[in-house]
Amino acid sequence: MTMRSPLLIRADASTETGTGHVMRMLALAQAWQRRGGKVHFAATEMPPLLVSRIRDEQIDVTLLGGVDDTVIRRGSEQDAALTAALARQLGAAWVVADGYVFDGPFQNTIRQAALRCAIVTDFDFCKSWDCDLILNQNPHAIQEPYASSVDGCKRLLGTQFVLLRREFLDKEAVAEARGVDEPRRLLITLGGSDPEDATGLILQLLAGWKHSELSIRVIVGAANPHRRHLEELAAMSKHRVELLVNVQDMPRQYQWADGIVSAGGSSCWEWLYFGLPGAIVVIADNQAPIYRELTSVGAATGLGTLESLQTEESAAREALEQFLERVHPGQRDPTRYRHLVDGHGASRVAAALDSGVWLRCATENDRQLYFDWANDPDVRLNSLCSDKIEWQSHCEWFDRQLATTDARLLVGMREDRPVGQIRFNRTHEDEWNVGFSVANDARGTGVGKELVRLGTGWMSHERLSPLVATVKVGNQASARCFIRLGWAEIPTDDSTLLRFRLATC
């Protein structure tokens, strides 16, 4: 399989910076792997447990150090030089840096090394950007200028580029099954350390809720200094309060909950993807833009700032009680906020670093699209069975394909426009047979080869092989796609057909 060059990601994690930069870059790394590429992380600081977490994803990590392994200053000239040298050593074409210290001089050093530079940020902190791509996944980003000195600089701005890790995308976003008489379930998560004890303030406000008992789960970070106080509040509460420390499976908690009280940071995109009603608190200055946007469009209830929780208790309690009135057991809609966060952000970003084409799983909404593609005259001509397909038989086939684990139906996208499809079906010989087609208006643009390359990467990521394909002798365009991507032609007794096989992908 033809491989793209490795991706070098530059991001740090520490007590000062937190882990958010690294964890959202892990989502991009997973998307790049799904495209069949390799990823390498570089950091000046990263806790050993987080290094292990990344390496468990089959991703290497290099800790950048100065002379005698001294810690270098993040974003410095030395940092940029070491990052560029590592990228050249790896054969990477792109350096993707996530953080607020990777300024114009850092970007220029990367680009002067004949590398492309992408910066991931949450605000417009450069007077003049000197990079090839800027990513800000927050809704306020579209209102910021991001002036760049680089012609053709790509700007990926807004929530369609929200980076969600595979652990969230692979879990069903539906609510957990439960009895009708169970109390409302409320999840509280206000940061890994919560130094000002915003969690304790919320629990105290909830003590005034008199309408019904609540079942509350409180996520307590390992660095939270107020754990003892929270245990005391939980013991005194009339509600069922459970403290969960160092939680590893947040998707499971989102499935459990009916509603959430959250900090106004990037974790909002996770619970919005799960369709949870949310109330948010600003506990850091950089959360204010997200807070304003989500509350203005009605995607979350605003509880104010940490300071207002302390000084305007009655207003905060009233807002919290109004929020709880809208939380109902087992009635949340997992698709409610998909117009904000649809789960494809990491795929879009990875595509922008590559060919622009990305894959998504087909859904029932694609039934008509597949029908129209299947009955395209050129598709019918090149199909092994050239008869016209009737709507009823197509619907039955399509629904079976979506329901079985022995099929993978993937839609090729370019700039959010469907440009083709590739599908894999398990055979009786436990091989995966591939078929693909390109939309009429996308033919002759290399999309077919990309569909096969990306589909092969997808199957490799799922560890599903070997892959086989059968092509009519006259369908030279499809045959060339397989040959150019390293598939081996294998013998067949039918002179009208060509067979190809990719044993390992």
Side-chain angles (χ1 to χ4, degrees), residues 389-447:
I389 297 174
E390 299 299 327
W391 174 250
Q392 185 61 39
S393 61
H394 166 76
C395 290
E396 293 172 357
W397 170 85
F398 189 79
D399 292 345
R400 285 197 306 270
Q401 296 292 297
L402 292 185
T404 181
T405 58
D406 290 333
R408 301 289 188 276
L409 266 62
L410 305 171
V411 179
M413 306 289 293
R414 185 166 59 191
E415 295 181 352
D416 284 0
R417 181 174 64 87
V419 291
Q421 62 81 28
I422 185 165
R423 66 186 182 278
F424 299 86
N425 291 92
R426 194 195 304 268
T427 69
H428 294 301
E429 293 78 22
D430 204 29
E431 298 174 323
W432 289 85
N433 188 67
V434 58
F436 73 97
S437 62
V438 178
N440 183 277
D441 58 356
R443 291 171 190 160
T445 63
V447 167

Side-chain angles (χ1 to χ4, degrees), residues 48-61:
L49 285 178
L50 189 51
V51 172
S52 297
R53 165 78 169 84
I54 293 172
R55 286 175 174 162
D56 285 344
E57 298 272 348
Q58 308 303 310
I59 299 171
D60 289 330
V61 180

Side-chain angles (χ1 to χ4, degrees), residues 375-391:
N375 279 312
D376 179 280
D378 289 336
V379 173
R380 295 271 32 91
L381 178 65
N382 289 313
S383 296
L384 301 183
C385 176
S386 298
D387 295 340
K388 181 180 179 181
I389 297 174
E390 299 299 327
W391 174 250

Side-chain angles (χ1 to χ4, degrees), residues 102-120:
F102 304 113
D103 55 13
F106 180 97
Q107 299 162 28
N108 182 261
T109 297
I110 300 299
R111 297 190 71 251
Q112 288 300 313
L115 300 163
R116 285 179 286 181
C117 179
I119 302 295
V120 184

Side-chain angles (χ1 to χ4, degrees), residues 345-368:
S347 294
R348 292 186 180 97
V349 176
L353 299 171
D354 193 11
S355 65
V357 179
W358 54 280
L359 299 179
R360 63 168 174 82
C361 292
T363 71
E364 60 183 16
N365 295 327
D366 296 312
R367 190 181 289 111
Q368 180 69 53

